[in-house]
Amino acid sequence: MGVQFGDIIPKKEISLKLLRTKSAAIDAMNVIYQFLSSIRLKDGSPLKNRSGEITSTYNGIFYKTIYMLENEITPIWVFDGKSHDLKEKTKEDRRKLRQNALENYLEAKEQDNLENMQKYAKRANFLDKKTIENSKRLLELMGVPYINAPSEGEAQCAELVKSKNASFVVSQDYDSILYGAESVVKNITSSNKSLELIELSKVLTELNVNLLELIDVAILIGTDYNPGGIKGIGPKKAFEVVKKGQMEKYAFEIQNYSEIRKIFDEPNVITDYEIGLKLPRKDELIEFLVEENDFSKERVLPNIEKLDLLLGNKKSQKSLESWF
DNA sequence: CAAGGGAA
DNA sequence: TTCCCTTGC
């Protein structure tokens, strides 16, 4: 979900072309949940293989990866590790929301209410361990790198940008900038929706704060580690408080304030990882998609060939990561 | 969400 | 060619 900065954070529209030749650190969980809620049949049910296991996720990863490579963007998928203890409440809240949605879905189903079935099915996304493991396996077979973050994926994505192993983060949330990522891109899709670029340095200069102050703003509004933030304080007031140097007045009201600040300021990340592209393992890929998960062979084969071609060309060229 | 096919 | 809509598993 992330911090609700609202309209306060400056962003700009960009074209896909601007991202050409760059590497993207993808906040995998964020994107996978999007796949799960949007890749659906008419009745709102997700795609499944013959055993009833959900395959929308694999569909999304497969086609989005190819789409990015086609546009000369190198994806690096970053998966969450173990979340911080302080996130428990947020996780529990989300579980409840999903459970609620599931109950609403079942009720709509009983009433044969297709519209509500679609609506609630999209919110009742339960992701199991096996789906995550298989997602990683799929990327491996495709020859595309992924990283297991020790903790938050968004923090690891930010590390990749900071170390210039990626140029930007792909996520629908802004949180990566709090971890110090210079660039976050929202809405990388093939639809007409415009791409949105958020640049940390622009955010800081335009709002006239430093990163630590921005983190304080986020904590006042509410983060995953202190959901809800301080009652009565939204984005606008939060900036006022921080700019007037009044953070101390509120800090004591926030449980674990300094610990939360540290999560963003000194994120738990790794710096030793493998991000090279390989050639796809075609036969195993066909086996995974077609045999195990019932993708249509007719549709998958040309895409595997495309992937092979794209990666074959790409492996030789290495570009230095930076803007402009 | 992206691909694919048909309409514009 | 571009747009729109349906399908995918």
Side-chain angles (χ1 to χ4, degrees):
Chain A
M1 222 44 92
V3 180
Q4 303 299 313
F5 277 120
D7 301 326
I8 299 268
I9 293 288
K11 49 205 156 200
K12 70 176 181 200
E13 275 188 21
I14 55 163
S15 80
L16 196 59
K17 306 237 188 303
L18 189 67
L19 306 180
R20 226 176 233 167
T21 75
K22 315 258 178 244
S23 292
I26 305 177
D27 179 9
M29 291 305 182
N30 180 287
V31 173
I32 283 174
Y33 270 110
Q34 275 178 270
F35 293 150
L36 214 47
S37 75
S38 56
I39 305 178
R40 303 252 166 188
L41 300 175
K42 286 192 207 306
D43 65 351
S45 66
L47 306 184
K48 293 176 189 146
N49 63 21
R50 87 195 70 183
S51 323
E53 296 161 342
I54 294 175
T55 57
S56 296
T57 311
Y58 314 143
N59 191 300
I61 290 172
F62 182 68
Y63 288 113
K64 195 181 196 76
T65 296
I66 291 172
Y67 176 78
M68 290 177 81
L69 288 169
E70 257 185 310
N71 286 280
E72 293 183 65
I73 301 167
T74 306
I76 303 166
W77 292 77
V78 180
F79 289 83
D80 284 345
K82 191 187 175 319
S83 61
H84 195 284
D85 288 344
L86 290 177
K87 203 171 174 179
E88 269 324 300
K89 169 138 187 7
T90 293
K91 286 168 76 180
E92 184 54 32
D93 288 349
R94 288 178 190 167
R95 261 193 294 275
K96 279 182 193 151
L97 277 173
R98 287 195 283 269
Q99 190 57 38
N100 231 317
L102 180 65
E103 281 156 25
N104 285 328
Y105 168 77
L106 293 173
E107 192 184 323
K109 193 173 176 182
E110 225 157 87
Q111 295 165 353
D112 236 4
N113 184 335
L114 197 68
E115 198 183 331
N116 278 353
M117 277 170 74
Q118 288 168 339
K119 181 165 132 194
Y120 293 116
K122 280 177 186 294
R123 296 180 197 171
N125 297 321
F126 297 92
L127 203 52
D128 56 27
K129 275 213 169 75
K130 191 179 171 193
T131 306
I132 300 297
E133 288 318 307
N134 274 340
S135 296
K136 293 175 184 176
R137 183 164 151 235
L138 172 58
L139 287 166
E140 189 132 7
L141 297 180
M142 291 180 77
V144 171
Y146 71 86
I147 296 173
N148 290 316
S151 185
E152 291 299 319
E154 304 219 293
Q156 187 64 54
C157 285
E159 189 284 332
L160 273 120
V161 175
K162 285 192 257 183
S163 62
K164 297 208 182 300
N165 283 306
S167 293
F168 59 96
V169 176
V170 173
S171 179
Q172 294 299 107
D173 293 341
Y174 302 119
D175 293 40
S176 275
I177 64 167
L178 295 177
Y179 292 106
E182 168 58 18
S183 308
V184 176
V185 176
K186 287 174 77 171
N187 304 337
I188 292 205
T189 71
S190 84
S191 67
N192 301 327
K193 211 149 88 173
S194 57
L195 269 75
E196 218 171 70
L197 171 66
I198 296 118
E199 290 161 293
L200 177 58
S201 56
K202 295 248 166 68
V203 172
L204 298 182
T205 50
E206 282 188 38
L207 298 171
N208 191 29
V209 290
N210 61 37
L211 181 52
L212 266 173
E213 289 169 335
L214 187 68
I215 291 169
D216 279 342
V217 168
I219 295 173
L220 287 169
I221 301 168
T223 69
D224 288 350
Y225 310 100
N226 65 318
I230 290 189
K231 235 187 287 169
I233 295 194
K236 222 162 181 168
K237 275 190 185 164
F239 272 103
E240 236 170 77
V241 167
V242 167
K243 277 186 192 165
K244 286 183 180 163
Q246 298 171 330
M247 191 60 197
E248 281 169 45
K249 264 172 53 182
Y250 295 91
F252 76 95
E253 288 183 47
I254 301 159
Q255 293 275 315
N256 307 301
Y257 165 67
S258 48
E259 178 70 21
I260 297 168
R261 209 175 192 233
K262 206 172 135 193
I263 293 174
F264 293 107
D265 187 36
E266 298 168 35
N268 179 9
V269 293
I270 52 168
T271 52
D272 54 327
Y273 38 69
E274 212 28 77
I275 52 172
L277 294 166
K278 296 177 189 138
L279 284 175
R281 284 144 61 179
K282 294 194 209 174
D283 293 342
E284 289 167 89
L285 205 44
I286 293 166
E287 188 183 325
F288 177 83
L289 293 171
V290 180
E291 314 300 328
E292 285 179 41
N293 289 295
D294 299 324
F295 280 59
S296 118
K297 191 169 189 175
E298 209 182 19
R299 206 168 150 164
V300 155
L301 280 183
N303 280 294
I304 290 180
E305 287 310 319
K306 198 196 282 176
L307 179 68
D308 189 46
L309 213 70
L310 286 165
L311 291 178
N313 292 336
K314 218 164 180 31
K315 266 176 47 132
S316 46
Q317 64 193 39
K318 269 237 166 89
S319 67
L320 231 138
E321 293 298 331
S322 66
W323 286 94
F324 310 111

